[in-house]
Amino acid sequence: MKKLLFVALALVAGQCLYAQQKPNVVIIYADDLGYGDLSCYGATKIQTPHIDQLAKEGIRFTNGHTTSATCTPSRFGLLMGRYPWRKSGTGVLPGDATMIIPTDKPSLATMMQKAGYMTALVGKWHLGLGDGGTIDWNRDVKPGPNEVGFNYSFCFPATADRVPTVFLENHTVLGLDKKDPIEVNYKEKVGNDPTGKENPELLKMASSPNHGHNNTIVNGIGRIGFMKGGHKARWTDEELAYAFTERAEKFIEDNRQRPFFLYFALSDIHVPRMPATSFKGKSGLGYRGDAILQMDWTVGRITQKLRQLGLEKNTIVIFSSDNGPVLDDGYEDEAVTMINGHKQAGPLRGGKYSAFEGGTRVPWIVRWPAGIKGGQTSGALISQIDLYASLARLTGQQLGADDAPDSFNMLDALTGKDLKGRPWLILQGGPLSLVQGNLKYITPADGPKLAKLVNIETGRDTEPQLYDLGKDIGEQHNIAAQHPEKVKEMAAELERLKAASKTRK
């Protein structure tokens, strides 16, 4: 009996040691959160204590970027280590789009699986589903996240403002009633459900004019696209944060004895902003501010769960956002009228959809008590596209020649050992930009300088733009005319990098 007990204890100890040798990785990916939306990044009209604590115990980056100023391409870049503008069809996707993550190439998730990690996606997906045919939501929906590296997935297909408004657990719509089959159409109305356009009196939140959020009404809110059936399966907006947080906590608890990788993609700040009732009215900034408080609560729940399970020390938590902020993105939710002096982009110009810094420079925090000294602030230039190569280095994985071609190993920057980061970075905010050190070149582009529907400067100009971000983080002074040779040099370098099949070091 003593021998059996010794063997059992040794096995348990061995499992724990194995888990401790490989740090767990949790990516908490906010949606539409701006550089100035957190109190640890200078916000004074709203307080985010749980995220502030994360920053206090880790590294807060001031020059961390997404690849793009909109959600779908940023998510593609993060998971594939490849600039999304290299692949057609990576723009903002409808809810019935074909999956754009290839099943025959490695992703960040498959790389982590290969390293011995259990992997999960919880939250917003928005990278398409299926292999190109019409999606039958009443059968197994695949390929999907499970086919590109996630052992477990619990998500909604696209965005909260697009149908179908259902949870997809692995391949199955949760709560589906076969007697009430789901049909989705983005071209014409299906079924008899009321729409925001035809029945505005049924709305509990009105849509902004000309944004397209006036199709099928779900939970008193008009959506983009038409949907029939699946009435028992439809979620309510107020439950989203709770549902996603519960699934994320359960995944962590179920896999506490082995290394795990969790991609936790939040939805809170994205429209329609309809936070849980307990958060409504708490911020004084309308529902957008309330959603930020809800998001902070979610981060607190995840960090608390790690602490309760004794996993906090050797778990890397990476917090960031998919693009910059937007106030009116389709609904009359008082985000504009109750702004109350809050500066959602902080000192940056532009926001979501923009080539200016407000489109891609986002909050970025990394905490890892076992490997990072807390209380640091870093100005290193980093991109979410670099997580692939950096985590490969962390886990001892060798990348193939065609894997993550645009991802740089920035592990030293992410752990505070390198304060410079990337030598250059390409950004996508409509027109492409090239950042080299403090200089940022924005390519000439036709089109409006102001996106009137969302009231955000696009960064478009028919003339080249050059900014010294070290002296002018707000991009107020275009110095292209004073430095024509530098403009010519950076334009040529951008074209060279675009033509290169891979840029990874």
Side-chain angles (χ1 to χ4, degrees):
M1 287 295 293
K2 289 182 178 180
K3 288 183 179 180
L4 287 174
L5 180 60
F6 175 79
V7 171
L9 290 172
L11 286 172
V12 171
Q15 284 182 332
C16 292
L17 180 62
Y18 180 69
Q20 291 169 359
Q21 288 173 339
K22 290 187 176 183
N24 306 306
V25 179
V26 177
I27 298 175
I28 303 177
Y29 207 42
D31 197 335
D32 293 357
L33 184 73
Y35 188 85
D37 275 329
L38 304 175
S39 42
C40 58
Y41 277 85
T44 58
K45 301 295 183 178
I46 194 166
Q47 297 299 309
T48 50
H50 297 296
I51 300 173
D52 292 358
Q53 186 66 24
L54 204 64
K56 182 179 180 181
E57 296 171 354
I59 304 176
R60 182 179 66 89
F61 291 88
T62 59
N63 202 9
H65 290 261
T66 67
T67 63
S68 313
T70 50
C71 49
T72 295
S74 293
R75 293 159 198 272
F76 178 89
L78 186 153
L79 290 177
M80 293 304 297
R82 180 184 181 192
Y83 283 122
W85 44 263
R86 293 195 187 279
K87 178 181 173 63
S88 62
T90 56
V92 179
L93 297 178
D96 60 351
T98 300
M99 188 165 70
I100 59 174
I101 300 292
T103 58
D104 60 346
K105 296 184 182 298
S107 70
L108 172 59
T110 56
M111 183 272 291
M112 295 298 282
Q113 278 184 331
K114 186 179 178 182
Y117 283 70
M118 287 295 291
T119 61
L121 154 74
V122 176
K124 172 181 172 178
W125 178 235
H126 207 192
L127 289 163
L129 296 163
D131 56 8
T134 300
I135 299 174
D136 185 349
W137 301 97
N138 308 292
R139 299 174 181 268
D140 281 357
V141 179
K142 58 183 180 181
N146 302 104
E147 282 66 48
V148 293
F150 291 102
N151 296 106
Y152 174 76
S153 69
F154 181 82
C155 65
F156 57 55
T159 58
D161 58 341
R162 288 173 170 83
V163 297
T165 52
V166 296
F167 292 124
L168 194 65
E169 187 167 30
N170 295 321
H171 299 123
T172 308
V173 171
L174 199 65
L176 179 65
D177 181 358
K178 293 296 180 68
K179 298 177 182 178
D180 185 27
I182 295 172
E183 184 178 344
V184 171
N185 195 306
Y186 273 77
K187 295 180 180 178
E188 58 187 15
K189 184 179 179 180
V190 293
N192 298 314
D193 284 68
T195 67
K197 182 177 180 180
E198 297 167 344
N199 302 97
E201 73 280 1
L202 299 179
L203 297 173
K204 67 182 183 183
M205 178 185 287
S207 61
S208 302
N210 303 315
H211 279 257
H213 295 87
N214 60 354
N215 298 149
T216 301
I217 297 174
V218 178
N219 187 35
I221 301 172
R223 314 286 165 159
I224 298 174
F226 300 98
M227 176 182 179
K228 66 175 289 190
H231 290 86
K232 291 181 180 179
R234 300 182 188 187
W235 40 252
T236 58
D237 303 81
E238 290 88 343
E239 75 170 313
L240 287 176
Y242 294 137
F244 288 148
T245 301
E246 186 273 334
R247 288 305 199 284
E249 289 177 321
K250 187 176 187 303
F251 173 78
I252 291 171
E253 189 155 351
D254 289 348
N255 294 281
R256 61 188 180 275
Q257 298 292 349
R258 67 186 92 180
F260 59 79
F261 168 66
L262 170 62
Y263 171 47
F264 188 20
L266 311 182
S267 176
D268 307 79
I269 323 300
H270 193 285
V271 295
R273 301 161 187 136
M274 186 57 65
T277 303
S278 60
F279 293 100
K280 290 176 181 175
K282 297 294 185 182
S283 70
L285 300 179
Y287 281 175
R288 184 176 186 275
D290 299 343
I292 292 174
L293 296 183
Q294 179 175 269
M295 175 198 66
D296 185 66
W297 169 86
T298 295
V299 173
R301 285 287 297 265
I302 296 302
T303 54
Q304 181 184 28
K305 176 59 68 174
L306 293 171
R307 187 163 52 251
Q308 287 175 344
L309 296 174
L311 302 174
E312 182 180 42
K313 183 176 180 180
N314 203 34
T315 297
I316 300 172
V317 177
I318 301 168
F319 177 87
S320 194
S321 176
D322 64 349
N323 49 248
V326 57
L327 296 182
D328 183 355
D329 207 19
Y331 296 95
E332 297 178 359
D333 60 2
E334 299 182 321
V336 175
T337 58
M338 294 187 66
I339 190 65
N340 194 27
H342 175 65
K343 297 180 179 180
Q344 67 275 10
L348 308 179
R349 189 176 180 182
K352 185 177 181 178
Y353 311 112
S354 176
F356 289 127
E357 287 291 282
T360 61
R361 190 185 294 219
V362 293
W364 185 311
I365 298 166
V366 180
R367 187 193 72 176
W368 180 22
I372 294 175
K373 180 182 177 182
Q376 299 184 63
T377 298
S378 174
L381 177 63
I382 54 174
S383 170
Q384 292 164 7
I385 205 171
D386 298 326
L387 289 176
Y388 197 132
S390 303
L391 292 177
R393 176 63 181 272
L394 176 77
T395 57
Q397 300 299 294
Q398 293 293 324
L399 297 181
D402 297 324
D403 300 346
D406 298 308
S407 184
F408 286 9
N409 170 24
M410 289 287 107
L411 187 60
D412 284 348
L414 293 174
T415 53
K417 300 172 185 175
D418 171 15
L419 298 181
K420 292 185 178 180
R422 273 178 163 262
W424 57 267
L425 175 63
I426 299 175
L427 301 171
Q428 177 190 23
L432 294 182
S433 306
L434 176 64
V435 176
Q436 289 181 325
N438 285 329
L439 291 179
K440 178 179 179 180
Y441 163 72
I442 304 177
T443 55
D446 294 326
K449 293 186 178 182
L450 180 70
K452 292 183 179 180
L453 281 180
V454 293
N455 194 32
I456 292 174
E457 291 182 286
T458 64
R460 293 178 178 272
D461 198 307
T462 54
E463 298 296 322
Q465 298 175 75
L466 183 68
Y467 298 97
D468 184 344
L469 299 176
K471 300 176 180 178
D472 180 24
I473 194 174
E475 296 171 285
Q476 296 298 314
H477 306 289
N478 180 7
I479 59 174
Q482 291 95 312
H483 302 276
E485 289 301 315
K486 192 62 180 178
V487 169
K488 183 178 179 180
E489 175 189 320
M490 292 185 72
E493 178 66 3
L494 178 56
E495 290 304 311
R496 185 189 72 79
L497 292 169
K498 285 168 60 179
S501 60
K502 63 179 180 179
T503 60
R504 188 176 74 233
K505 290 180 179 179

